[in-house]
């Protein structure tokens, strides 16, 4: 189905991610949206670029250079399907029917018929080109994504609603199919919680090396636009979250890389790596109370993630998702499966997926002795007695041939003789996740036997 959209407005908003500095109402504008008598060619070109579905009105126009297509419009109102956009001053330089050398918009507000309100104090766009559809055809969302090219876009003083989310500055360079784009964001801030008592801010973020247009088309249509190879990176620094003025969580940096390839036959492969450093989660009162009881002063941490995906066969692997808490321990998850379809609904994707392997590994760095001491103290027991009780309860739980191999490694770990315990499931043959709903698997033992469970103590 073809969706009629405001071409140039969506171009401005789409390539920037979102136009988020509230402005006052413009002066009254003429009611006629049709071309005015004697209207400058540059304005006629702008109307042609906007398309018939967008009404353009303005209070006054000044031709800066007729030969060059330079014009300035004051108190502009655009009205299209489901939205209205107001611009105090719109300077178009080198305006053509298929684009412009530069646009300067100061300031901009967007009002959606659904209640959405976005505003930007200052917008700058250069190197705009929009490939027009064939005669008699409307521009739909898919066509717009692939038709727009922008050399540089910058938004300053952007806000959503009445300031629920704001951005100090957002820039985009080299947007368009086949181009590797760069995005930079500064001073993202907002409120959260039902009463807006919580706040968050991010000092800066960016990404480089991704064909954003190609990825957007893939997301919207599920079909690649053509072969592509990207090796991009992303970075976010200095994130903080608070509630009623009290710090809740913070992070120093998030860094990542992604290798993404679309082959000539449309098959996709990707490999991603990410590290979140400087994570602190000690601002919640309940967490702080538990830390104090355990003898800790803070909860620092790091998260590392590595994943791979091959569309052929739907092979998805998560070699490692590791949560490292110095002085506490490290817990790592691993997974590998076949038949994963990223375009399918989650419940459908889960039903089609086959489990190849699953792993959970924990290496203690001081948490377990503190935890056992706290629980023994609460139970009015000695630590050795508490350990013995836990091991006895575990032995009763791990009955049966499928679970018995887990018992000895678990005993070694819980008794403090080793610091690391790994539990892995390696089915003898690929196991469909939907098989767990098989009526024949009417016992835990039957399920576990198909998982191929094993444990290792180190």
């Amino acid at each position: 189905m073809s969706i009629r959209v405001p071409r140039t407005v969506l171009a401005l908003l789409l390539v920037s991610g979102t136009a988020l500095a509230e402005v006052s109402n413009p002066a009254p504008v003429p009611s006629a949206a049709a071309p005015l008598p004697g209207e400058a060619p540059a304005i006629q070109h702008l109307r042609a670029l906007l398309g018939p579905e967008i009404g353009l009105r303005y209070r006054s126009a000044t031709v800066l250079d007729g030969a060059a297509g330079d014009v300035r419009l004051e108190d502009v109102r655009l009205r299209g399907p489901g939205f209205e956009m107001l611009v105090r001053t719109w300077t178009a330089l080198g305006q053509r029917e298929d684009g412009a050398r530069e646009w300067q918009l100061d300031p901009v507000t967007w009002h959606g018929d659904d209640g959405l309100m976005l505003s930007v104090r200052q917008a700058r766009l250069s190197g705009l080109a929009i490939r027009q559809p064939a005669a008699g055809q409307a521009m739909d969302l898919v066509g717009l994504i692939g038709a727009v090219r922008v050399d540089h876009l910058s938004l300053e003083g952007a806000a959503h609603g009445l300031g629920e989310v704001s951005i100090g500055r957002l820039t985009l360079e080299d947007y368009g199919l086949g181009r590797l784009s760069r995005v930079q964001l500064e001073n993202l801030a907002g409120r959260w919680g039902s009463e807006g008592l919580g706040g968050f801010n991010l000092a800066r973020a960016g990404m480089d090396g991704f064909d954003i247009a190609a990825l957007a088309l893939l997301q919207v249509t599920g079909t690649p636009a053509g072969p592509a190879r990207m090796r991009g990176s992303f970075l976010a620094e200095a994130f903080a979250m608070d509630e009623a003025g009290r710090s809740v969580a913070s992070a120093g940096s998030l860094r990542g890389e992604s290798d993404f390839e679309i082959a000539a036959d449309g098959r996709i492969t990707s490999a991603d790596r990410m590290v979140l450093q400087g994570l602190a989660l000690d601002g919640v009162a309940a967490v702080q109370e538990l830390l104090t009881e355990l003898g800790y002063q803070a909860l620092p941490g790091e998260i590392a993630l590595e994943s791979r995906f091959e569309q052929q066969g739907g092979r998805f692997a998560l070699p490692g998702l590791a949560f490292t808490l110095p002085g506490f321990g490290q817990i790592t998850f691993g997974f590998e499966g076949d038949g994963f379809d990223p375009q399918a609904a989650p419940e459908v994707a889960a039903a089609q997926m086959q489990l190849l392997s699953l792993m959970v590994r924990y290496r203690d760095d001081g948490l377990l002795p503190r935890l056992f001491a706290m629980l023994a103290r609460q139970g009015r027991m000695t630590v050795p007695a508490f350990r013995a009780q836990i091991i006895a309860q575990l032995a009763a739980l791990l009955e049966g041939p499928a679970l018995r191999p887990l018992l000895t490694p678990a005993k070694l770990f819980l008794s403090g003789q080793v610091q690391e315990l790994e539990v892995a499931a390696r089915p003898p043959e690929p196991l469909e996740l939907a098989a767990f709903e098989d009526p024949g698997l009417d016992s835990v033992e039957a399920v576990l036997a198909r998982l191929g469970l094993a444990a290792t103590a180190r």
Side-chain angles (χ1 to χ4, degrees), residues 106-142:
D106 308 306
V108 183
T109 56
W110 166 290
H111 297 275
D113 292 351
D114 57 358
L116 175 67
M117 186 174 81
L118 308 171
S119 54
V120 179
R121 185 179 68 249
Q122 181 184 93
R124 296 289 183 269
L125 184 149
S126 63
L128 170 66
I130 304 180
R131 187 178 63 254
Q132 298 299 304
Q137 294 186 358
M139 178 79 79
D140 61 9
L141 178 60
V142 173

Side-chain angles (χ1 to χ4, degrees), residues 4-5 23 44 89 99 105 116 130 142 180-181 191 299 313 334 356 364 399 410 416 457:
R4 295 181 67 84
V5 295
V23 300
Q44 296 178 23
T89 303
L105 300 92
L116 175 67
I130 304 180
V142 173
L180 300 181
S181 307
R191 311 302 301 171
L299 182 63
L356 301 181
D364 189 64
E399 293 182 345

Side-chain angles (χ1 to χ4, degrees), residues 1-347:
M1 180 178 66
S2 178
I3 304 174
R4 295 181 67 84
V5 295
R7 301 176 189 172
T8 308
V9 175
L10 267 182
L12 174 64
L13 300 179
L14 176 68
V15 299
S16 64
T18 178
L20 302 177
E22 185 176 5
V23 300
S24 59
N25 292 328
V29 297
S31 59
L36 302 177
E39 198 167 52
I43 304 177
Q44 296 178 23
H45 292 161
L46 180 58
R47 289 188 186 278
L49 184 64
L50 292 171
E53 64 271 26
I54 304 296
L56 168 64
R57 303 173 184 171
Y58 52 90
R59 180 176 58 82
S60 65
T62 303
V63 176
L64 305 176
D65 187 331
D70 300 349
V71 64
R72 177 179 296 120
L73 305 179
E74 302 288 344
D75 295 331
V76 180
R77 186 190 303 270
L78 299 180
R79 180 67 188 177
F83 83 98
E84 181 178 62
M85 181 170 134
L86 309 175
V87 184
R88 178 76 56 77
T89 303
W90 187 337
T91 303
L93 305 178
Q95 183 65 53
R96 311 179 309 275
E97 287 192 359
D98 66 343
R101 186 176 74 254
E102 182 177 354
W103 279 354
Q104 303 170 4
L105 300 92
D106 308 306
V108 183
T109 56
W110 166 290
H111 297 275
D113 292 351
D114 57 358
L116 175 67
M117 186 174 81
L118 308 171
S119 54
V120 179
R121 185 179 68 249
Q122 181 184 93
R124 296 289 183 269
L125 184 149
S126 63
L128 170 66
I130 304 180
R131 187 178 63 254
Q132 298 299 304
Q137 294 186 358
M139 178 79 79
D140 61 9
L141 178 60
V142 173
L144 177 65
I145 294 173
V148 174
R149 291 175 67 88
V150 172
D151 291 342
H152 181 87
L153 170 71
S154 67
L155 306 177
E156 295 190 11
H160 169 262
L162 298 177
E164 291 89 346
V165 179
S166 64
I167 297 176
R169 181 178 174 84
L170 176 67
T171 61
L172 168 69
E173 296 179 340
D174 296 333
Y175 173 88
L177 278 178
R179 307 176 80 185
L180 300 181
S181 307
R182 292 174 297 281
V183 179
Q184 296 290 328
L185 178 149
E186 299 175 8
N187 299 324
L188 171 67
R191 311 302 301 171
W192 63 276
S194 58
E195 299 180 0
L197 297 178
F200 67 88
N201 60 79
L202 176 66
R204 55 196 157 271
M207 62 180 184
D208 187 9
F210 295 99
D211 186 336
I212 298 176
L215 294 177
L217 278 174
L218 180 62
Q219 179 66 31
V220 172
T221 67
T223 304
R229 177 68 187 271
M230 313 170 209
R231 183 168 189 175
S233 62
F234 55 89
L235 167 69
E237 292 183 308
F239 173 79
M241 180 180 291
D242 65 79
E243 184 176 18
R246 184 184 69 254
S247 174
V248 174
S250 61
S253 67
L254 172 66
R255 299 174 184 272
E257 294 181 346
S258 179
D259 291 315
F260 189 89
E261 184 174 3
I262 303 174
D265 59 3
R267 289 181 298 182
I268 298 170
T269 58
S270 65
D272 303 289
R273 297 160 295 282
M274 181 198 77
V275 177
L276 176 65
Q277 296 179 313
L279 179 65
L281 303 171
D282 51 0
V284 180
V287 174
Q288 188 60 56
E289 291 174 6
L290 178 60
L291 290 175
T292 301
E293 192 166 2
L294 288 169
Y296 291 104
Q297 295 183 346
L299 182 63
E302 175 180 305
I303 301 175
L305 167 70
E306 182 180 352
S307 66
R308 298 191 302 271
F309 172 67
E310 298 176 11
Q311 189 174 28
Q312 186 175 17
R315 175 67 58 90
F316 176 75
L318 188 72
L321 171 58
F323 298 83
T324 304
L325 304 174
F328 292 76
Q330 181 188 68
I331 184 167
T332 304
F333 300 92
F335 173 86
E336 188 170 7
D338 273 343
F340 176 63
D341 182 2
Q343 301 298 328
E347 61 275 11

Side-chain angles (χ1 to χ4, degrees), residues 359-436:
M359 177 274 293
V360 179
R361 179 173 61 246
Y362 176 71
R363 182 169 186 80
D364 189 64
D365 191 25
L367 173 61
L368 213 57
R370 292 174 185 248
L371 180 62
F372 283 176
M374 182 189 76
L375 295 175
R377 187 167 59 250
Q378 293 175 350
R380 300 178 183 276
M381 304 171 64
T382 64
V383 173
F386 179 78
R387 286 183 185 268
Q389 182 186 76
I390 291 294
I391 292 173
Q393 292 174 345
L394 184 66
L397 181 64
L398 300 181
E399 293 182 345
L403 288 173
R404 197 167 295 123
L406 308 182
L407 183 57
T408 298
K411 282 182 176 181
L412 292 173
F413 179 72
L414 292 174
S415 64
Q417 298 181 58
V418 297
Q419 281 69 51
E420 183 175 293
L421 177 66
E422 178 180 306
V423 178
R426 296 183 177 86
E429 58 185 27
L431 179 62
E432 291 186 0
L433 299 185
F436 292 105

